[in-house]
């Protein structure tokens, strides 16, 4: 946190269709991870701010739910056009506060826009079923109705895309929304919501607040909030799920990950290495789908690691806004120190560093750590068990596909995994037996597109209905069955 009244700008709340720069709130610092400089101050919403946001959303809901869905999606069509037009601007903001490279930022914004595109199809997606003459002269139909004020609480690593897993779907379904993005990266969601405002969204339908734990608690306990969507780390996801459910709210809470990449000896090694580099070190490893454990099977290890180590050593680490940079900094100084601490621990616990990222930090004030690969990692080591959320890849060698499946299925996490092979039978068996929510076959980052559902299993997800796709329509609506007979 920083003192109020510094020379950098204050991030605004967006309440009931108006932008507000609140005063006298606890303030957080937003930093450019490539330089360490403070670029904005973010105010933390109080209980009273949250009450105003939720009440504005509730008042707006009473009208918005009756706007025909074909008219509601007109806002989404206009929003999509504006996002396309200003996508470069949104991506540059994202790189500036999150650190990911320009290419990664542009790819994220593209994914965000796809969410809006899918939400434009809400007239079809919200349709119910009907059957006439379920009994003599009696017809039956199901309809889907919005549920009210929905809240979204999102993490730092995808500040454009992850909020868009939520609000375009919720709003197109006829709900209203209060978004509380990560306090580390509030500028990207603010820019995105400015464009939604310009698209003509009526006041109160979406409200943007900032803050941390206390702000989230005010949302979780507010009686007018009917549903909570959360994406973040596992301990917080568990807490959100338990707390909001105890308040009688509908909850989906996506948590952390420890993703295994299994490589068979028959894999196409050069292509596999490129996929692993993208998975483990893309976005500096700060992805919930990042590969963080590499599992070479049998003879795969030798040729795989030779190529992988060379390619990793050649990775260009630096300021993500500069061209040619392949990996940017970590999001904050604290997070960078935490990830470097895991590298220290890996060495102390006896893993073999093949590439040590502590030795390849670019000079300057940014939060940098180079890519790291550890070989001979064993299940009891900390780096094998905990989510690191940085550019650290642990190699755990196994003899057979069965061993690989057992290793992955013993993990308490179940977000994503991938198998690299040219053998269809091995791929099929792996996909079928693995206890993980999102599986890639020769795909290093198995990120489902907007029209498919997104979530893990086990400690990576708490809830029933996953993010985006048709699950989002079910999550953001209540189903009603109507039986009619006319005398
Ligand atoms: P985080 O859990 O620290 O924060 C997420 C959100 O929760 C933020 O908005 C934050 O303000 C809020 N928060 C933090 N502490 C809180 C508390 N004690 N009580 C209430 N709210 C609190 O996560 P992060 O560091 O921002 O993001 C990284 C994590 O998110 C990683 O674990 C990553 O795997 C996970 N993630 C998961 C997915 C997925 O799809 N499963 C996607 C993206 C990120």
């Amino acid at each position: 946190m920083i003192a109020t009244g510094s020379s950098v700008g204050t991030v605004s709340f967006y309440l009931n269709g108006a932008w507000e720069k609140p005063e006298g709130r606890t303030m957080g610092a937003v930093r450019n991870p490539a330089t360490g400089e403070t670029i904005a101050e973010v105010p933390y919403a109080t209980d009273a701010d949250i009450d105003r946001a939720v009440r504005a959303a509730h008042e707006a809901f009473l009208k918005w739910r009756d706007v025909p869905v074909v008219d509601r999606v007109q806002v989404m069509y206009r929003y999509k056009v504006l996002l396309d037009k200003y996508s470069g601007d949104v991506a540059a903001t994202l790189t500036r506060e999150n650190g990911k490279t320009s290419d990664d930022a542009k790819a994220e914004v593209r994914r965000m826009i796809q969410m809006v595109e899918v939400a434009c199809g809400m007239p079809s997606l919200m349709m119910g079923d009907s059957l006439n003459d379920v009994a003599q002269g009696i017809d039956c139909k199901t309809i889907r109705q919005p549920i009210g004020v929905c809240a979204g609480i999102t993490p730092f690593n995808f500040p454009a895309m992850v909020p868009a897993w939520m609000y375009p779907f919720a709003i197109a379904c006829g709900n209203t929304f209060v978004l509380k993005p990560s306090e580390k990266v509030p500028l990207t969601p603010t820019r995105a919501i400015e464009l939604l405002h310009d698209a003509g969204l009526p006041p109160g339908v979406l409200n943007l607040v900032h803050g941390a734990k206390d702000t989230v608690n005010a949302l979780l306990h507010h009686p007018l909030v009917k549903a909570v969507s959360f994406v973040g780390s596992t301990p917080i996801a568990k807490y959100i799920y338990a707390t909001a459910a105890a308040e009688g709210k509908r909850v989906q809470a996506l948590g952390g990950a420890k993703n295994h990449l299994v490589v068979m000896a028959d894999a196409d090694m050069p292509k596999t290495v490129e996929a692993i580099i993208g998975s483990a070190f893309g976005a500096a490893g700060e992805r919930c789908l990042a590969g963080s454990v590499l599992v070479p099977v049998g003879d795969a290890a030798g040729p795989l690691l030779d190529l992988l180590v060379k390619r990793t050593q050649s990775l260009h680490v630096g300021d993500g806004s500069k061209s040619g940079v392949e990996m940017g900094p970590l999001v904050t100084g604290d997070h960078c120190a935490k990830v470097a601490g895991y590298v220290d621990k890996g060495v102390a616990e006896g893993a073999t560093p093949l590439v040590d990222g502590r030795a390849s930090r670019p000079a300057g004030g940014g939060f940098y750590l180079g890519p790291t690969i550890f070989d001979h990692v064993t299940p009891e080591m900390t780096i094998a068990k905990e989510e690191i959320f940085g550019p650290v890849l642990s190699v755990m060698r196994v003899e057979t596909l069965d061993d690989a499946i057992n290793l992955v299925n013993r993990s308490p996490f179940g977000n994503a995994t991938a198998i690299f092979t040219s053998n269809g039978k091995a791929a099929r068996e792996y996909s079928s037996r693995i206890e993980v929510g999102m599986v890639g076959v020769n795909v290093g980052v198995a990120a489902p597109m907007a029209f498919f559902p997104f979530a893990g299993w086990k400690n990576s997800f708490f809830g029933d209905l996953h993010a985006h796709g048709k699950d989002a329509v079910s999550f953001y609506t209540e189903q009603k069955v109507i039986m009619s007979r006319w005398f």
Side-chain angles (χ1 to χ4, degrees):
M1 278 169 215
I2 56 176
T4 51
S6 77
S7 57
V8 295
T10 303
V11 187
S12 299
F13 295 158
Y14 179 64
L15 296 182
N16 205 19
W19 295 95
E20 288 183 18
K21 284 199 191 302
E23 289 180 358
R25 308 295 191 280
T26 300
M27 303 297 275
V30 184
R31 296 207 157 85
N32 180 343
T35 61
E37 81 182 300
T38 298
I39 53 176
E41 289 185 307
V42 58
Y44 289 8
T46 59
D47 287 7
D49 295 326
I50 291 300
D51 190 53
R52 274 199 305 141
V54 174
R55 285 186 190 286
H58 178 69
E59 286 303 313
F61 173 66
L62 302 178
K63 295 185 201 130
W64 183 244
R65 66 179 170 190
D66 293 332
V67 173
V69 63
V70 287
D71 295 332
R72 292 199 299 257
V73 297
Q74 295 310 313
V75 179
M76 290 297 146
Y77 281 112
R78 294 195 293 272
Y79 188 36
K80 181 235 172 341
V81 170
L82 288 174
L83 284 169
D84 277 338
K85 185 169 172 193
Y86 295 104
S87 60
D89 173 25
V90 179
T93 306
L94 211 171
T95 293
R96 195 158 164 257
E97 67 177 350
N98 167 281
K100 66 176 68 176
T101 63
S102 296
D103 283 350
D104 277 343
K106 283 179 197 152
E108 176 179 344
V109 173
R110 183 68 214 125
R111 286 265 181 175
M112 172 205 192
I113 295 171
Q114 283 166 354
M115 302 298 152
V116 178
E117 289 167 356
V118 172
C120 287
M122 203 50 75
S124 309
L125 292 170
M126 264 184 93
M127 275 183 189
D129 298 317
S130 74
L131 185 66
N132 278 8
D133 293 312
V134 289
Q136 184 99 52
I138 298 184
D139 304 333
C140 188
K141 69 174 177 181
T142 60
I143 61 168
R144 289 198 167 274
Q145 294 184 310
I147 46 186
V149 179
C150 303
I153 300 146
T154 55
F156 77 80
N157 63 326
F158 281 94
M161 180 185 74
V162 170
W165 289 356
M166 305 170 182
Y167 66 83
F169 291 93
I171 288 172
C173 284
N175 302 285
T176 54
F177 207 85
V178 179
L179 175 63
K180 202 300 289 173
S182 167
E183 67 280 20
K184 292 173 188 149
V185 288
L187 301 173
T188 309
T190 299
R191 186 71 191 104
I193 300 312
E194 279 169 6
L195 296 175
L196 185 55
H197 172 88
D198 293 347
L201 191 75
V205 174
L206 184 134
N207 302 273
L208 174 67
V209 292
H210 303 288
K213 182 180 172 182
D214 293 342
T215 306
V216 171
N217 279 330
L219 280 168
L220 297 181
H221 294 292
H222 200 294
L224 289 174
V225 172
K226 300 298 176 200
V228 177
S229 298
F230 172 86
V231 179
S233 58
T234 289
I236 312 297
K238 248 184 196 169
Y239 168 76
I240 300 276
Y241 183 70
T243 309
E247 292 278 4
K249 303 182 196 314
R250 188 175 287 202
V251 202
Q252 52 179 190
L254 285 71
K258 191 85 187 164
N259 304 315
H260 297 73
L261 306 174
V262 173
V263 181
M264 306 297 286
D266 58 21
D268 177 325
M269 289 303 169
K271 287 186 179 139
T272 298
V273 163
E274 279 314 304
I276 293 168
I277 290 283
S279 180
F281 305 129
E286 293 171 330
R287 281 196 196 122
C288 69
L289 297 179
S292 55
V293 184
L294 180 61
V295 187
V297 179
D299 295 336
L304 173 67
L305 293 180
D306 278 354
L307 277 177
L308 182 65
V309 166
K310 278 194 201 100
R311 178 68 181 96
T312 303
Q313 284 164 337
S314 77
L315 267 180
H316 186 181
V317 180
D319 181 337
S321 68
K322 304 274 187 295
S323 73
V325 169
E326 295 171 284
M327 195 182 101
L330 291 153
V331 68
T332 60
D334 284 351
H335 187 57
C336 189
K338 186 175 166 199
V339 175
Y342 276 111
V343 178
D344 296 342
K345 220 170 214 168
V347 173
E349 291 182 355
T352 312
L354 299 179
V355 185
D356 187 339
R358 296 170 303 181
S360 59
R361 299 166 184 232
F367 311 133
Y368 291 103
L369 181 71
T372 297
I373 303 178
F374 279 114
D375 199 0
H376 303 297
V377 174
T378 55
E380 66 282 357
M381 290 181 186
T382 309
I383 55 170
K385 290 191 285 202
E386 294 182 12
E387 180 181 42
I388 298 173
F389 219 56
V392 180
L393 184 64
S394 300
V395 180
M396 300 179 79
R397 299 169 181 233
V398 297
E399 285 307 315
T400 65
L401 180 60
D402 262 353
D403 295 341
I405 292 172
N406 291 335
L407 175 78
V408 178
N409 284 349
R410 276 199 298 274
S411 169
F413 296 103
N415 209 44
T417 186
I419 182 167
F420 293 89
T421 180
S422 54
N423 181 324
K425 181 170 183 295
R428 186 173 187 277
E429 184 169 347
Y430 187 78
S431 311
S432 156
R433 286 173 53 196
I434 213 69
E435 293 161 10
V436 172
M438 294 172 279
V439 182
V441 175
N442 298 314
V443 172
V445 181
M449 304 281 282
F451 26 85
F452 282 100
F454 188 119
W457 288 10
K458 302 201 275 188
N459 278 352
S460 297
F461 179 62
F462 305 91
D464 306 289
L465 293 163
H466 293 188
H468 60 73
K470 289 181 197 155
D471 271 25
V473 181
S474 299
F475 184 79
Y476 292 120
T477 55
E478 191 79 78
Q479 201 166 199
K480 188 181 275 177
V481 181
I482 302 172
M483 304 269 282
S484 343
R485 173 166 59 185
W486 297 96
F487 297 113

